[in-house]
């Protein structure tokens, strides 16, 4: 094409073997024109560039050069199919659902409510805050399908916890045929090997799913995110980003400014503080809440849906089963009683601070109690860690005499307390025996089909359980799996995937609370044990939702192992549970 030819905006051109759409064409002082374009073909899609007609060979794709070919098919079949395909690609302009209900799911009307509400707005933005196990992923898939039908879902980014990346990706593909590229550790390595170092990886794929921790831990991604735009962004378990002062919250606020549509999901979006929930609402609509500490329900009306099982029980039929609760009291042993008795009288003078703080003293005693109620081994680990810290601080030669005296006192207290805890770790402690009794009662052997999930807040507790069960039932290493946040993301996803396979060898999953959010563990499992009781009702319900959820075809059995002291004055699980 001659360098003095002006290209009209909207024209399609071929440059460097790729197809582009012309945005503008302006003359330059050195002669010719600077043509600003946006990519249309796969490799350059949505990328904006500028080419000089004096340097690049720009070929205009002219409509009048199109060759018309007669349709020789019977009854003009090909032409009619072509016109039908054009009609089917015509985007709807109303808030009706055209595709989502046809996905691979057990359809219920309540699943369409988020899509209807979002599509009725000028900017489709919705918070899906249904209770645990209702099926928020399905509702997300329905809405994304409708946005794609309307031409508003070409570029999609899903941000989720690393433990559920594979599950979320699989659900959207298997049920809705929405292909998300998983950018986990291995996925990012593959992308970096394929594209130039300075190329934005978020332009390379139009639909991707990535862990929010991966994004916040790598500063390079912030620059990449600021430079690209998305049609829709989904943030799963959004209560983790409610605090805009934290890294996750700042990242979510950035993402909210780079998209046309946003979907937030969480079963526990409100932590009791109005500011956190207001931040989520302002991500959906920046003008929703003027004063985050003082607002009314009318200001946020229409921005979210929130339903519980009782609200939809007339629609779901047998897709929810009534859970059965088994509260099993575990009487502490004599060695454990001595530890609980000593805990009430523990006093510390320094706790990682030079100043003496009574509040900090009480807080550390509470930390020790919480660890001991999980297992004596977890408490021993906490004591050893604090002892190491105290000894390290005593090596400082610049300490004042009073501060050194306080540290020496704390070391003596911790060493004496450690002796008591070590005696409690000898042999099998009470809760471990109770867990074995329960497994025997339900017929779990580690070799039959029955599967069980055991939750604990402490990794050291889970490791003790793993060793105990492996020896007692003579199991292989793959039958008892430990799941915690310290595992690589690929290993976490593999464990969850194996637990959902009938032919996988894993028979009991020992998990920390990282597995309590969003993970589907109900496919071949309906027994859940709380080895220790979390001091949060939100965490407790999140745990239960792993097996008591939409699609569970058996009765969920939920067991609480509650430590009960022989002395009513001692703190134990029972006192915490009553509170």
């Amino acid at each position: 094409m001659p360098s003095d030819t002006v290209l009209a905006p909207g024209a399609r051109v071929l440059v460097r073997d790729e197809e582009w759409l012309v945005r503008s064409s302006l003359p330059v002082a050195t002669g010719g024109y600077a043509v600003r374009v946006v990519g249309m073909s796969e490799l350059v899609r949505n990328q904006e560039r500028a080419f000089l007609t004096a340097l690049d060979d720009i070929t205009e794709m002219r409509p009048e050069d199109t060759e018309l070919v007669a349709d020789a098919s019977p009854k003009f079949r090909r032409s009619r199919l072509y016109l039908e395909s054009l009609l089917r690609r015509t985007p709807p302009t109303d808030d009706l659902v055209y595709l989502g209900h046809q996905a691979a799911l057990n359809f219920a009307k309540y699943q369409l409510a988020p899509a209807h509400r979002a599509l009725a707005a000028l900017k489709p933005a919705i918070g899906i805050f249904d209770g645990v196990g209702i099926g928020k992923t399905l509702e997300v898939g329905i809405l994304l399908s409708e946005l794609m039908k309307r031409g508003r879902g070409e570029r999609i980014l899903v941000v989720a916890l690393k433990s559920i990346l594979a599950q979320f990706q699989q659900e959207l593909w298997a049920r809705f045929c929405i292909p998300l590229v998983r950018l986990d550790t291995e996925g990012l390595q593959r992308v970096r090997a394929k594209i130039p170092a300075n190329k934005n990886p978020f332009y390379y794929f139009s639909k991707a799913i990535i862990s929010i921790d991966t994004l916040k831990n790598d500063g390079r991604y912030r620059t990449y995110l600021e430079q690209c735009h998305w049609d829709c962004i989904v943030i799963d378990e959004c209560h983790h980003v409610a605090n805009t002062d934290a890294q996750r919250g700042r990242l979510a606020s950035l993402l909210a400014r780079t998209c046309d549509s946003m979907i937030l999901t969480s079963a526990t979006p409100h932590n009791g503080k109005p500011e956190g929930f207001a931040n989520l609402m302002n991500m959906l609509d920046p003008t929703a809440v003027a004063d985050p500490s003082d607002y009314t329900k009318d200001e946020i009306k229409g921005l979210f849906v929130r339903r519980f099982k009782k609200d939809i029980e007339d629609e779901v039929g047998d897709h929810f089963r009534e859970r059965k609760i088994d509260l099993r009291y575990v009487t502490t042993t004599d060695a454990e009683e001595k530890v609980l008795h000593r805990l009430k009288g523990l006093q510390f003078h320094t706790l990682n601070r030079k100043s003496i703080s009574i509040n900090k003293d009480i807080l550390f005693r509470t930390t020790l109690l919480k660890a001991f109620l999980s297992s004596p081994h977890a408490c021993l680990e906490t004591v050893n860690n604090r002892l190491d810290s105290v000894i390290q601080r005593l090596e400082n030669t610049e300490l004042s005499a009073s501060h050194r005296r306080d540290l020496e006192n704390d070391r003596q207290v911790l060493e004496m307390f450690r002796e008591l805890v070590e005696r409690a770790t000898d042999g099998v402690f009470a809760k471990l025996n109770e867990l074995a009794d329960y497994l025997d009662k339900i017929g779990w052997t580690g070799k039959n089909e029955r599967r069980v999930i055991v939750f604990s807040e402490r990794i050291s507790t889970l490791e003790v359980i793993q060793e105990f069960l492996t020896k007692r039932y003579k199991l292989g290493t793959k039958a008892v799996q430990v799941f915690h946040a310290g595992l690589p993301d690929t290993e976490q996803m593999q464990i969850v995937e194996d637990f959902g396979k009938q032919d996988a060898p894993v028979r009991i999953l020992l998990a920390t609370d990282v597995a309590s959010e969003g993970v589907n563990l109900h496919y071949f499992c309906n027994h859940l044990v709380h080895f220790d009781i979390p001091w949060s009702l939100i965490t407790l319900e999140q745990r239960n939702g792993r097996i008591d959820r939409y699609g569970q075809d058996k009765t969920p059995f939920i067991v609480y192992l509650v430590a009960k002291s022989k002395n009513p004055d001692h703190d134990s699980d029972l006192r915490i549970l009553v509170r």
Side-chain angles (χ1 to χ4, degrees):
M1 186 185 73
S3 60
D4 58 349
T5 302
V6 180
L7 291 168
R12 293 204 176 196
V13 295
L14 284 175
V15 188
R16 302 183 185 181
D17 297 326
E18 298 295 338
E19 185 178 342
W20 309 81
L21 181 70
V22 175
R23 289 281 181 85
S24 65
S25 182
L26 301 173
V28 294
T30 56
Y33 288 84
V35 183
R36 296 192 176 276
V37 295
V38 60
M40 299 296 292
S41 53
E42 182 177 359
L43 185 62
V44 296
R45 183 174 292 126
N46 297 324
Q47 297 189 39
E48 296 185 3
R49 294 290 184 270
F51 297 110
L52 298 177
T53 57
L55 299 178
D56 283 291
D57 184 14
I58 302 177
T59 303
E60 183 179 6
M61 302 173 67
R62 300 165 60 88
E64 56 266 32
D65 294 335
T66 304
E67 291 186 22
L68 299 178
V69 180
D71 184 2
S73 60
K75 297 183 179 180
F76 307 107
R77 182 184 301 161
R78 291 181 180 175
S79 299
R80 291 164 61 193
L81 287 173
Y82 175 71
L83 293 174
E84 177 69 18
S85 67
L86 290 180
L87 290 174
R88 292 195 177 201
R89 288 202 302 266
T90 303
T93 57
D94 53 25
D95 62 347
L96 299 180
V97 174
Y98 290 86
L99 288 178
H101 63 289
Q102 300 177 11
L105 51 82
N106 296 315
F107 172 70
K109 288 184 178 179
Y110 80 89
Q111 297 167 341
L112 305 182
H116 283 309
R117 184 166 295 187
L119 295 173
L122 183 62
K123 176 186 177 181
I126 189 74
I128 304 177
F129 301 148
D130 291 338
V132 175
I134 298 294
K136 293 181 287 296
T137 305
L138 300 181
E139 295 169 342
V140 169
I142 291 173
L143 179 50
L144 289 178
S145 299
E146 295 304 314
L147 291 174
M148 293 169 65
K149 172 72 175 175
R150 288 158 172 78
R152 306 177 72 174
E154 176 61 27
R155 287 181 49 76
I156 297 173
L157 176 67
V158 177
V159 181
L161 301 177
K162 63 181 181 180
S163 58
I164 61 174
L165 290 182
Q167 175 185 296
F168 208 110
Q169 179 194 36
Q170 183 180 2
E171 288 279 307
L172 289 188
W173 170 247
R175 298 183 183 276
F176 301 95
C177 293
I178 299 176
L180 298 175
V181 178
R182 189 168 73 227
L183 298 180
D184 53 17
T185 305
E186 295 180 357
L188 286 171
Q189 290 176 352
R190 289 196 298 269
V191 172
R192 288 172 177 171
K194 287 183 178 180
I195 64 176
N198 61 345
K199 189 175 179 65
N200 192 331
F202 297 114
Y203 273 128
Y204 188 76
F205 298 112
S206 59
K207 296 177 178 64
I209 179 170
I210 192 168
S211 164
I212 191 166
D213 292 313
T214 300
L215 289 179
K216 77 180 180 72
N217 290 334
D218 196 330
R220 289 174 294 180
Y221 292 121
R222 181 178 181 89
T223 303
Y224 290 146
L225 290 172
E226 289 174 341
Q227 294 174 352
C228 64
H229 189 83
W230 301 91
D231 292 330
C232 184
I233 291 179
V234 181
I235 300 182
D236 191 44
E237 303 297 346
C238 64
H239 54 274
H240 290 293
V241 303
N243 181 10
T244 55
D245 293 332
Q247 267 188 314
R248 286 178 171 180
R250 291 193 297 270
L251 175 64
S253 298
L254 168 64
L255 292 173
R257 298 192 296 269
T258 62
C259 63
D260 295 329
S261 306
M262 174 162 271
I263 305 173
L264 303 178
T265 72
S266 175
T268 54
H270 206 304
N271 62 359
K273 298 180 180 180
E275 292 82 5
F277 194 73
N279 291 334
L280 296 179
M281 295 298 99
N282 283 333
M283 290 179 195
L284 298 171
D285 181 358
T287 63
V289 178
D291 185 356
S293 59
D294 184 18
Y295 55 94
T296 65
K297 62 180 181 180
D298 292 333
E299 295 179 63
I300 56 177
K301 185 178 180 181
L303 288 177
F304 66 93
V305 293
R306 182 159 176 80
R307 288 131 336 148
F308 297 93
K309 291 180 183 178
K310 61 183 177 61
D311 301 318
I312 62 170
E313 58 186 1
D314 58 330
E315 297 184 39
V316 297
D318 294 333
H319 294 299
F320 280 113
R321 298 300 179 95
E322 189 70 24
R323 71 171 66 166
K324 290 190 176 181
I325 304 298
D326 187 1
L327 196 62
R328 301 173 75 91
Y329 293 105
V330 183
T331 303
T332 52
T333 63
D334 291 340
E336 292 169 0
E337 282 291 321
K338 292 179 181 178
V339 175
L340 290 175
H341 178 74
R342 185 69 183 93
L343 264 172
K344 290 184 67 68
L346 282 183
Q347 290 187 358
F348 299 96
H349 294 268
T350 62
L351 289 173
N352 285 341
R353 292 176 180 269
K354 292 184 178 180
S355 60
I356 300 174
S357 171
I358 297 177
N359 292 331
K360 290 289 180 181
D361 177 19
I362 296 174
L363 180 61
F364 184 56
R365 286 211 309 267
T366 304
T367 301
L368 289 174
L369 171 63
K370 194 173 183 182
F372 185 74
L373 292 178
S374 178
S375 71
H377 302 77
C379 185
L380 183 61
E381 181 184 54
T382 304
V383 172
N384 286 333
N385 290 339
R386 185 49 55 93
L387 258 176
D388 291 341
S389 174
V390 170
I391 292 173
Q392 185 178 5
R393 291 163 63 194
L394 278 170
E395 294 175 354
N396 185 359
T397 57
E398 298 180 359
L399 289 176
S400 64
S402 60
H403 191 201
R404 183 175 296 277
R405 185 171 55 253
D406 290 338
L407 285 171
E408 286 288 358
N409 177 79
D410 287 353
R411 183 171 71 171
Q412 293 176 8
V413 170
L414 287 168
E415 287 176 346
M416 288 187 293
F417 182 68
R418 181 173 62 178
E419 291 180 6
L420 286 177
V421 178
E422 284 176 341
R423 293 171 193 164
T425 61
D426 293 338
V428 179
F429 58 98
K431 274 192 177 181
L432 209 51
N433 275 324
E434 189 66 29
L435 174 63
D437 291 344
Y438 175 73
L439 294 177
D440 292 340
K441 175 186 174 182
I442 64 174
W444 185 91
T445 64
K447 301 178 180 67
N448 52 15
E449 292 298 319
R450 190 176 298 282
R451 298 189 184 185
V452 180
I453 303 166
V454 179
F455 274 104
S456 173
E457 293 184 322
R458 297 301 186 112
I459 297 176
S460 55
T461 301
L462 297 179
E463 290 173 345
V464 172
I465 298 173
Q466 182 185 36
E467 181 181 0
F468 170 75
L469 294 180
T470 301
K471 290 181 178 178
R472 177 185 173 93
Y473 295 96
K474 299 178 181 179
L475 303 174
T477 56
K478 294 185 178 180
V480 184
Q481 295 282 353
V482 176
F483 185 96
H484 57 83
L487 298 175
D489 50 5
T490 51
E491 189 172 345
Q492 287 187 21
M493 289 182 285
Q494 187 61 50
I495 292 174
V496 172
E497 185 177 348
D498 287 345
F499 199 73
K501 291 180 180 178
Q502 189 171 9
D503 57 349
V506 57
R507 285 297 174 266
I508 189 165
L509 183 65
L510 310 177
T512 62
D513 289 326
V514 70
S516 68
E517 295 179 317
V519 183
N520 293 336
L521 301 173
H522 65 288
Y523 295 116
F524 301 101
C525 177
N526 64 319
H527 290 268
L528 186 150
V529 179
H530 296 275
F531 195 82
D532 49 36
I533 310 299
W535 294 359
S536 164
L537 292 177
I538 290 177
T539 303
L540 200 65
E541 188 58 25
Q542 288 277 16
R543 285 182 179 182
N544 293 339
R546 296 317 99 213
I547 66 168
D548 184 12
R549 61 189 301 106
Y550 184 85
Q552 174 63 269
D553 56 0
K554 297 179 181 178
T555 300
F557 291 93
I558 297 173
V559 178
Y560 299 90
L561 301 185
V562 182
K564 183 179 180 181
S565 174
K566 301 172 186 176
N567 188 337
D569 294 331
H570 289 168
D571 288 330
S572 62
D573 280 335
L574 185 61
R575 177 171 294 188
I576 301 303
L577 196 62
V578 169
R579 286 183 181 178

